[in-house]
């Protein structure tokens, strides 16, 4: 399993693994893939700590960092306090009423309130980029389009390639024009922010639209058969995310992990309840509440996450307490591949199983070329 991206990055397999967990990132890179750390949830100080840890545990293997610099958001350039004032009282009340209905208590007084803004804005993401480029990363990815031109230039000056996630061929062409090195075609099946075109249709459209720019396939990929299909459609590698939520090294909450093991491929929903933009996640009473007729409706990014951030913290804190309904409410971004995630396996085992099944699949397909014509 080898493409030009393996040579570009010095990796053994063209398997890119997005994860917010540093242990997963390091384990994937050590196993021959390319771990990519999702930086969104970290403060500048926390990100520095995480990247130092990866530097010390990746055995010199390449890894990347993913930031969120949305093409559009409200209040761009405004401070957190100004953004807070833009959140309607009706939305705050809706959150509290929903939590109260499921008997989810407030956070203890000695537990700091959750940070609702995180790095959803360009200003905060830029500080993360500065931190990331001070480390030996090989890839800088943006989850919501291409980073601004000056960020791309700065990454290139550090010898770092830039990737951008897209949901259609037009977006892909825009990212190429902006100077992005790698396009990640993220199909409808994917977890987190994703578009409306399925992977089977999207991947060849994007490959044709941006050739010879390399394309990574994302959305519904967690096995060697799916990786083989992606490469058959013209991709130079695969961008995986959901499957790492149940890796043995993952820091996914045990309650959430059990819900993932029990879920089918029909138990996800593409909802604006998380960030204000459509993002596929585990379907729960929480996502249902935001889609109900009495919902005030999701706010634009980044206001939606700001209004639900503390609620998410409360759900995770109390989801193991059977006296509350937090277990029902708690969820996570995840793709339709969740229906195949049935047990916790080490990251190395996941990588090798993808490669082994890929080899078997290609061999089986090659055999069809020599099959006698029937009739």
């Amino acid at each position: 399993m080898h493409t030009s991206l393996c040579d570009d990055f010095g990796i053994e397999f063209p398997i890119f693994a997005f994860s917010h967990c540093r242990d997963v990132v390091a384990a994937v890179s050590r196993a021959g893939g390319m771990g990519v750390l999702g930086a969104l949830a970290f403060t500048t100080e926390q990100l520095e700590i995480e990247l130092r840890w990866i530097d010390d545990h990746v055995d010199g293997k390449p890894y990347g960092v993913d930031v969120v610099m949305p093409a559009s958001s409200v209040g761009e350039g405004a401070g957190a306090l100004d953004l807070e004032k833009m959140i309607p009282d009706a939305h705050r009340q809706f959150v509290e009423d929903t939590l109260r209905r499921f008997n989810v208590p407030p956070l203890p007084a000695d537990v700091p309130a959750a940070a609702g803004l995180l790095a959803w804005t360009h200003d905060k993401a830029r500080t993360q980029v500065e931190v990331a480029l001070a480390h030996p990363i090989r890839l800088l990815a943006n989850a919501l389009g291409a980073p601004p031109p000056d960020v791309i230039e700065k990454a290139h000056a550090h010898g770092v390639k830039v990737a951008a996630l897209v949901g259609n061929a037009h977006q892909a062409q825009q990212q190429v024009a902006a100077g992005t090195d790698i396009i990640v075609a993220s199909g409808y099946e994917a977890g987190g922010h994703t578009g409306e075109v399925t992977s089977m249709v999207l991947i060849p459209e994007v490959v044709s639209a941006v050739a010879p720019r390399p394309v990574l396939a994302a959305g519904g990929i967690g096995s060697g058969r799916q990786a083989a299909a992606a490469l058959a459609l013209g991709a130079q590698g695969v961008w995986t995310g959901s499957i790492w939520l149940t890796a043995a090294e993952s820091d996914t909450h045990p309650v959430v992990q059990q819900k993932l093991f029990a879920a089918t491929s029909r138990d996800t929903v593409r909802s604006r309840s998380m960030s204000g933009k459509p993002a596929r996640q585990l379907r729960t009473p929480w996502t249902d509440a935001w889609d109900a007729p009495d919902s005030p409706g999701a706010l634009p990014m980044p206001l939606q996450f700001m209004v639900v951030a503390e609620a998410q913290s409360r759900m995770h804190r109390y989801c193991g307490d059977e006296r509350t309904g937090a277990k029902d409410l708690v969820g996570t971004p995840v793709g339709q591949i969740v229906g195949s995630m049935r047990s916790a396996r080490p990251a190395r085992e996941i990588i090798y199983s993808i490669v082994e099944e890929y080899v078997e699949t290609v061999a089986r397909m090659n055999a069809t070329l020599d099959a006698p014509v029937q009739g």
Side-chain angles (χ1 to χ4, degrees), residues 35-116:
V36 181
L37 182 71
L40 175 66
F42 301 117
T43 65
T44 303
E45 294 75 17
Q46 290 171 334
L47 181 60
E48 175 63 29
I49 293 171
E50 299 298 292
L51 296 183
R52 283 183 185 175
W53 187 92
I54 293 175
D55 292 342
D56 292 339
H57 292 81
V58 80
D59 295 344
K61 302 291 186 179
Y63 71 94
V65 171
D66 178 282
V67 297
V68 176
M69 304 186 83
S72 62
S73 62
V74 299
E76 187 60 50
L81 291 178
D82 290 331
L83 289 169
E84 287 283 354
K85 295 176 182 176
M86 298 173 67
I87 299 174
D89 291 338
H91 285 74
R92 299 185 191 277
Q93 190 60 52
F94 179 78
V95 169
E96 285 303 319
D97 290 346
T98 304
L99 294 176
R100 188 180 303 113
R101 196 162 69 244
F102 283 83
N103 193 32
V104 180
L107 295 172
D110 60 342
V111 175

Side-chain angles (χ1 to χ4, degrees), residues 11-12 37 41 44 47 53 73 133 147 186 198 213 224 255 299 329 371 375:
I11 56 180
E12 191 172 357
L37 182 71
T44 303
L47 181 60
W53 187 92
S73 62
L133 292 179
S186 183
T198 62
R213 198 66 53 100
V255 169
L299 294 167
L329 291 179

